[in-house]
Amino acid sequence: MVQVLICCFCSPTFFNLKRKTITTSSSSSSTLHSLLLLSRFQQQQPPNTKTFSTSSSSSSSLSLSSYPAHPLRRPPFSHVRVEMTNSPPGTAKALPDDTKRVNLVVCFGEMLIDFVPTVGGVSLAEAPAFKKAPGGAPANVAVGISRLGGKSAFIGKVGEDEFGYMLADILKQNNVDNSGVRFDPNARTALAFVTLRADGEREFMFFRNPSADMLLCESELNLGLLKEASIFHYGSISLIDEPCKSTHLAAMEIAKKNGTILSYDPNLRLPLWPSPEAAREGIMSIWDQADIIKVHIVDCSHLRSSKFSQFLNNNFS
């Protein structure tokens, strides 16, 4: 049975999470997804091992180190709506029964540089200057898992440039296994300019023509990490272009054959897709294979399709 987390808030870049204490009623979606994945280990861990819960109670909080504020952070919503299918006791997918495997979350996909305005509430054209910040949803989750006490790794590709090396170093500094990172000498690390305007709308401008993350090949996959993973986490941006699309599907197949839990964050970014129809088709093409899905409430309106409607009817009617 698929577990679905529907988030009713905007997620900032996790690397720059501001709050010292987070709760499931006011945290970022990357944080919630990290908590959800870590909670899957609870029944597998020995006594006295720290575990995490995705309870919606505002009293459930985790103490984190202090991180710089992200310029795009919105005031927290008063609540987060969490919807999960109710599986009968004992029917949830168990972690692989292999004592040699550790509780490792392997995240796959894009890692890039976000450029955000130095002041809030302006359009990209109105911004007086920009500040760089490491980003990429799968990388955010990998860092979130590590900061919350779990073990994580990242698989992806960046340019053989200063930004690429910087991102790989940031993973290492956050105790994320970066042995799955590849460097492309012929393509640059992806860049994204993003702002939160005064009207509350986000504005994006991407530079990926093509960027290194789009060029990851199946032969470059770190098979050791995939076989070691208890959870394999991914998004949908890596499904847009070849050869990364085929690499993504191959990695999913390897993980699935090893009994790994599949975790999916559609993370819809319409400007990157050829059309809204292509986005719906691409995102829904792997929907049924996931064991855990986190989807933003705003994305649900864009994912309207017969397949998505049928899924909602089957699980939430």
Side-chain angles (χ1 to χ4, degrees), residues 1-314:
M1 184 70 73
V2 177
Q3 289 188 331
V4 180
L5 177 66
I6 300 179
C7 304
C8 306
F9 49 81
C10 173
S11 62
T13 302
F14 191 91
F15 291 155
N16 295 282
L17 185 63
K18 178 181 179 181
R19 298 172 65 86
K20 293 182 180 180
T21 302
I22 61 171
T23 72
T24 54
S25 62
S26 62
S27 57
S28 74
S29 62
S30 292
T31 304
L32 269 179
H33 207 135
S34 301
L35 286 167
L36 179 62
L37 299 188
L38 283 170
S39 72
R40 293 304 299 261
F41 296 140
Q42 183 170 358
Q43 62 182 3
Q44 303 291 326
Q45 292 176 326
N48 302 321
T49 300
K50 183 183 294 184
T51 58
F52 301 91
S53 170
T54 54
S55 167
S56 59
S57 170
S58 60
S59 63
S60 301
S61 61
L62 299 174
S63 178
L64 297 179
S65 302
S66 178
Y67 306 117
H70 192 288
L72 299 187
R73 185 173 180 84
R74 283 178 173 172
F77 281 69
S78 59
H79 70 283
V80 172
R81 178 179 172 221
V82 178
E83 296 281 2
M84 290 189 182
T85 55
N86 295 319
S87 302
T91 61
K93 184 173 181 179
L95 292 175
D97 185 16
D98 186 341
T99 56
K100 294 183 179 180
R101 295 176 73 173
V102 296
N103 290 338
L104 174 68
V105 179
V106 174
C107 300
F108 174 95
E110 70 279 2
M111 183 166 58
L112 61 145
I113 299 293
D114 284 331
F115 284 93
V116 294
T118 53
V119 297
V122 298
S123 68
L124 291 177
E126 295 168 336
F130 294 88
K131 180 179 180 180
K132 70 178 186 295
N140 290 343
V141 172
V143 171
I145 291 287
S146 178
R147 286 183 172 177
L148 292 170
K151 184 175 181 180
S152 63
F154 179 79
I155 294 177
K157 199 171 192 179
V158 293
E160 195 174 278
D161 51 41
E162 289 302 311
F163 285 149
Y165 290 122
M166 183 191 83
L167 291 171
D169 286 343
I170 288 175
L171 291 179
K172 186 175 181 180
Q173 292 164 14
N174 283 274
N175 297 315
V176 176
D177 186 335
N178 66 0
S179 62
V181 176
R182 301 293 179 258
F183 297 88
D184 195 314
N186 301 313
R188 298 297 188 187
T189 300
L191 307 178
F193 287 78
V194 56
T195 186
L196 183 64
R197 302 191 313 236
D199 60 6
E201 292 298 318
R202 291 179 296 172
E203 184 180 345
F204 294 94
M205 183 182 296
F206 297 95
F207 290 82
R208 323 167 62 235
N209 293 309
S211 54
D213 61 289
M214 302 161 63
L215 303 176
L216 182 67
C217 298
E218 184 176 349
S219 61
E220 297 176 300
L221 287 173
N222 186 321
L223 299 181
L225 287 178
L226 290 174
K227 293 177 180 178
E228 186 183 357
S230 293
I231 294 179
F232 182 58
H233 173 73
Y234 48 86
S236 69
I237 291 176
S238 47
L239 295 172
I240 299 175
D241 296 285
E242 294 288 1
C244 191
K245 177 180 178 180
S246 294
T247 305
H248 181 149
L249 297 177
M252 284 180 59
E253 185 63 25
I254 293 170
K256 189 175 182 180
K257 286 182 178 178
N258 280 277
T260 303
I261 293 171
L262 301 185
S263 166
Y264 185 26
D265 172 12
N267 190 36
L268 178 65
R269 292 291 181 265
L270 278 177
L272 295 178
W273 291 86
S275 67
E277 293 74 20
R280 281 193 292 270
E281 181 179 350
I283 288 173
M284 298 307 298
S285 68
I286 60 171
W287 188 275
D288 292 340
Q289 299 181 51
D291 300 296
I292 301 172
I293 300 172
K294 187 275 292 181
V295 60
H296 196 292
I297 193 69
V298 174
D299 294 345
C300 291
S301 61
H302 295 288
L303 293 177
R304 285 193 298 263
S305 67
S306 57
K307 189 174 184 179
F308 185 65
S309 298
Q310 184 64 42
F311 173 83
L312 293 179
N313 290 334
N314 290 343

